[in-house]
């Protein structure tokens, strides 16, 4: 019986010690959960600009859905990377260069994508991209996209091409250049969670 009482006393002492250690941990630490960031973070929503221009022509605009962002690609074949310039920024409304005519773009926020390349052949003046001002981009269907809501051709004037990209809300984005194309990625949210 002596050994049983000693074992019970030792067990009770161990439980008291364990309880006091748990009680010493702040309540907020016990309830906080960490969610791993699954998507890139660090993008912003301020204007991004790259000063360059080319007379190579825009031939296509396409979009794609990804796990963390929606993507728009503006194809300018033959322009390489060094001569591709752009300005991408959130605007209250998109206005067509030359005429100043406003172009309505749907969504909670609007990104103006301005590419330093014409959407026409510089020698003949003929369009190289079959789009009409104020109309949706040809071949672009945004059904099922998490971020993109609308994509409109604004115009091409004096070597610059304008596109209005309607997004769900003012969300972080990045712009980068690859061989013959400008890529605009708009994140699904600010937190980086999927």
């Amino acid at each position: 019986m002596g050994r049983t009482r000693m074992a019970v006393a030792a067990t009770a002492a161990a439980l008291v010690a364990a309880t006091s250690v748990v009680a010493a941990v702040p309540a907020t630490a016990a309830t906080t959960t960490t969610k791993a960031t699954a998507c890139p973070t660090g993008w912003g929503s301020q204007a991004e600009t790259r000063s360059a221009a080319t007379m190579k022509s825009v031939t296509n605009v396409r979009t794609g859905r990804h796990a963390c962002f929606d993507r728009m690609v503006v194809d300018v074949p033959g322009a390489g990377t060094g001569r591709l310039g752009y300005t991408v920024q959130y605007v209250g409304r998109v206005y067509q260069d030359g005429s100043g005519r406003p172009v309505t773009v749907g969504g909670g926020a609007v990104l103006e994508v301005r590419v330093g390349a014409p959407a026409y052949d510089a020698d003949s003046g003929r369009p190289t991209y079959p789009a009409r001002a104020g109309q949706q981009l040809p071949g672009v269907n945004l059904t099922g996209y998490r971020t993109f809501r609308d994509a409109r051709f604004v115009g091409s004037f004096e070597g610059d091409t304008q596109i209005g990209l309607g997004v769900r809300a003012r969300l972080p984005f990045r712009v980068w250049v690859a061989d013959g194309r400008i890529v605009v990625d708009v994140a699904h949210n600010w937190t980086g969670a999927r």
Side-chain angles (χ1 to χ4, degrees):
M1 280 240 192
R3 288 185 190 192
T4 303
R5 283 186 192 169
M6 286 176 50
V8 169
T11 302
L15 285 173
V16 169
T19 304
S20 63
V21 169
V22 171
V25 176
T28 55
T31 59
T32 302
T33 57
T34 0
K35 187 173 188 175
T37 301
C39 297
T41 57
W43 302 356
S45 64
Q46 298 300 312
E48 291 196 28
T49 301
R50 183 176 194 231
S51 296
T54 182
M55 287 314 292
K56 297 292 183 181
S57 301
V58 172
T59 60
N60 193 28
V61 180
R62 52 199 164 93
T63 59
R65 294 180 292 172
H66 295 265
C68 299
F69 52 85
D70 290 348
R71 171 172 286 170
M72 172 183 278
V73 178
V74 180
D75 291 317
V76 189
T81 58
R83 295 183 294 163
L84 283 174
Y86 57 80
T87 297
V88 179
Q89 63 186 340
Y90 281 103
V91 295
R93 187 157 208 184
V94 180
Y95 294 92
Q96 187 180 53
D97 281 351
S99 72
R101 186 182 122 228
V103 174
T104 302
V105 181
V110 177
L111 274 171
E112 179 183 31
V113 178
R114 183 181 295 271
V115 177
Y120 53 84
D121 179 86
D123 295 327
S124 68
R126 291 194 171 133
T128 56
Y129 177 58
R132 294 186 56 203
Q135 301 299 309
Q136 291 182 339
L137 298 179
V140 171
N141 180 353
L142 300 179
T143 303
Y145 280 68
R146 287 182 57 190
T147 299
F148 292 172
R149 294 294 182 258
D150 194 10
R152 304 259 169 186
F153 186 73
V154 178
S156 191
F157 182 74
E158 294 184 349
D160 274 354
T161 298
Q162 288 176 278
I163 298 164
L165 179 60
V167 296
R168 188 180 77 249
R170 187 176 176 129
L171 294 163
F173 68 91
R174 69 176 175 182
V175 186
W176 52 282
V177 173
D179 187 22
R181 60 189 176 269
I182 294 172
V183 181
V184 180
D185 295 331
V186 183
H188 293 156
N189 57 54
W190 281 95
T191 64
R194 282 190 190 217

